[in-house]
Amino acid sequence: MNKDDFFMSRCIQLAKNGRANTAPNPMVGAVIINNDKIIGEGYHVKYGESHAEVNAIRSVKEDELLKSSTIYVSLEPCSHYGKTPPCADLIIEKGIPKIVIGCVDPFNKVSGKGIQKLRDAGRDVKVGILEKECLELNKKFILANTLNRPYIILKWAQSADGFIDKKRKDGKPILFSSPLTQMLVHKKRSEVDAILVGKRTALLDNPSLTVRRWYGKNPIRIVLDKDLNLPSNLHLFDNSIQTFVFTEKEKENFLNTKYITLNFDVNLPQKILNTLQSLQIQSIIIEGGRATLQSFIDLNLWDEAYIEKAKIILGSGIKSPVLNNENLVKTQIYNTSIIELYLNKL
């Protein structure tokens, strides 16, 4: 590994520390070197707080060293005033002569403007170091700013013979997951902005849709209830977490529950995504049921599918969704099940 790759890999490592707290901002890491030694580093800790470059610069004990140093940053420094002042301006102000950047920021208020500002100030700027890895780091942020929709993760659990549910004599849901695989799902929930279920799943499973088996923030809960028939005593309506109800009926918001009116007749998944994009929701897990999941698949509105296949045989029941354009990229084997990760080829 050459020098540039080494220091950029450290930027990526640092950036991941902000995984659950930076959205809708990206994860970013920064490293400052002088004479090939790290003299400062930082990452974007939380949305609304100082960016990675600021934290790295603040960590340098001898400020005068900045004028002969190089700053590595995994994403192009911002050039506009948002929650914080432009990082490109601070780099120029501190006299840092060389900037090495992982990838360009696709956000339209930046998108090359930070790089140009640095070059116009006479700085030596190199772009594209570990670019693929830097893009992968912020794939949700990048997709939201290029395709103008949230990054979509489909998630379901199924039996070994391909059923996700069966008529239940006792009314209780069939459990495919173990405590370990439940923990992994809750970890995944902590890394997205929102989680969505259909009316049937909400009614039969009465899910909480929280991260109670993992440490982190709870995603915004979303449920589809066209005619507002779901009972108010469901966990989804306990007002403990912000919850959106997509419906065709008009209803006043109540505490943490917000009712959003949509026409359910045509292209509902796209309408949902358009609304979420307007609310700056950049990533979502869709957890069912089958009709809801398949509606997104049929419109090719998915990016990643996380499928748990238990060793249970049901023999009959509700068939699991069928993916289109899938590409199996990872398989994890556990005692009671297999978890498969698919990416959309398109």
Side-chain angles (χ1 to χ4, degrees), residues 6 38 42-43 48-49 103 116 128 156 182 198 227 277 289 326 332:
F6 176 81
I38 295 176
Y43 66 95
E49 296 183 1
C103 64
Q116 192 58 50
W156 71 85
Q182 286 177 355
D227 298 314
Q277 179 73 3
E326 73 274 14
Q332 295 172 296

Side-chain angles (χ1 to χ4, degrees), residues 19 36 117 130 152 183 194 202 248 258 306 325-326 340:
R19 185 181 297 278
D36 293 336
K117 178 177 280 193
L130 296 187
I152 303 164
M183 181 188 71
E248 283 195 336
K258 180 178 182 179
Y306 184 89
N325 307 311
E326 73 274 14
E340 295 177 339

Side-chain angles (χ1 to χ4, degrees), residues 27-314:
M27 294 175 280
V28 184
V31 171
I32 300 171
I33 67 163
N34 190 283
N35 289 326
D36 293 336
K37 293 182 180 179
I38 295 176
I39 62 169
E41 57 183 26
Y43 66 95
H44 184 32
V45 177
K46 187 176 181 180
Y47 174 66
E49 296 183 1
S50 300
H51 290 185
E53 300 94 320
V54 176
N55 289 330
I57 288 170
R58 286 175 178 170
S59 74
V60 176
K61 294 180 180 179
E62 299 178 62
D63 205 52
E64 65 274 10
L65 290 177
L66 292 171
K67 292 180 171 59
S68 58
S69 296
T70 299
I71 184 168
Y72 287 78
V73 58
S74 56
L75 187 71
E76 175 184 5
C78 62
S79 55
H80 68 293
Y81 282 87
K83 293 282 185 181
T84 60
C87 292
D89 287 2
L90 179 63
I91 292 170
I92 294 168
E93 175 192 328
K94 294 295 183 178
I96 300 174
K98 186 174 181 179
I99 302 91
V100 181
I101 297 168
C103 64
V104 175
D105 188 338
F107 183 48
N108 58 13
K109 291 185 178 180
V110 184
S111 193
K113 298 180 181 70
I115 293 168
Q116 192 58 50
K117 178 177 280 193
L118 292 167
R119 286 176 172 160
D120 288 346
R123 301 303 191 265
D124 179 4
V125 182
K126 184 187 288 188
V127 183
I129 305 303
L130 296 187
E131 183 177 37
K132 181 179 178 181
E133 292 84 351
C134 290
L135 290 169
E136 175 66 20
L137 173 70
N138 283 302
K139 60 186 178 183
K140 296 168 187 174
F141 170 80
I142 289 168
L143 184 141
N145 281 281
T146 53
L147 297 186
N148 297 312
R149 66 161 174 80
Y151 187 91
I152 303 164
I153 301 171
L154 309 179
K155 182 271 169 185
W156 71 85
Q158 66 180 60
S159 64
D161 52 347
F163 297 98
I164 63 169
D165 204 355
K166 191 174 183 177
K167 190 174 181 180
R168 313 161 187 179
K169 293 181 181 179
D170 59 2
K172 295 181 180 180
I174 296 169
L175 296 178
F176 294 111
S177 301
S178 67
L180 174 58
T181 58
Q182 286 177 355
M183 181 188 71
L184 295 174
V185 169
H186 288 203
K187 176 180 182 294
K188 213 162 188 66
R189 288 178 181 177
S190 74
E191 297 169 358
V192 298
D193 298 333
I195 181 170
L196 181 148
V197 295
K199 177 180 177 179
R200 187 176 188 277
T201 298
L203 186 62
L204 295 180
D205 294 352
N206 191 17
S208 298
L209 304 183
T210 64
V211 297
R212 60 195 178 277
R213 295 183 181 272
W214 190 258
Y215 175 81
K217 64 177 179 61
N218 290 305
I220 295 170
R221 303 183 295 198
I222 301 172
V223 61
L224 309 181
D225 187 10
K226 180 179 179 179
D227 298 314
L228 293 181
N229 292 329
L230 288 173
S232 60
N233 62 348
L234 294 178
H235 294 316
L236 289 172
F237 303 129
D238 62 12
N239 286 298
S240 63
I241 302 166
Q242 187 172 20
T243 301
F244 296 160
V245 181
F246 284 96
T247 177
E248 283 195 336
K249 305 291 185 180
E250 296 285 344
K251 187 171 181 178
E252 289 187 8
N253 300 332
F254 180 72
L255 298 177
N256 273 337
T257 304
K258 180 178 182 179
Y259 295 88
I260 300 174
T261 306
L262 289 178
N263 182 342
F264 274 50
D265 290 340
V266 182
N267 205 359
L268 178 61
Q270 186 62 64
K271 292 174 183 174
I272 292 169
L273 296 177
N274 290 344
T275 302
L276 298 182
Q277 179 73 3
S278 70
L279 295 170
Q280 286 195 304
I281 292 174
Q282 294 182 353
S283 56
I284 183 170
I285 290 180
I286 300 172
E287 290 202 10
R290 186 191 189 281
T292 302
L293 287 159
Q294 197 66 52
S295 69
F296 282 84
I297 294 169
D298 290 345
L299 291 172
N300 202 37
L301 292 172
W302 69 281
D303 302 292
E304 182 179 316
Y306 184 89
I307 305 172
E308 180 174 354
K309 296 183 177 180
K311 295 180 180 179
I312 300 170
I313 301 293
L314 292 185

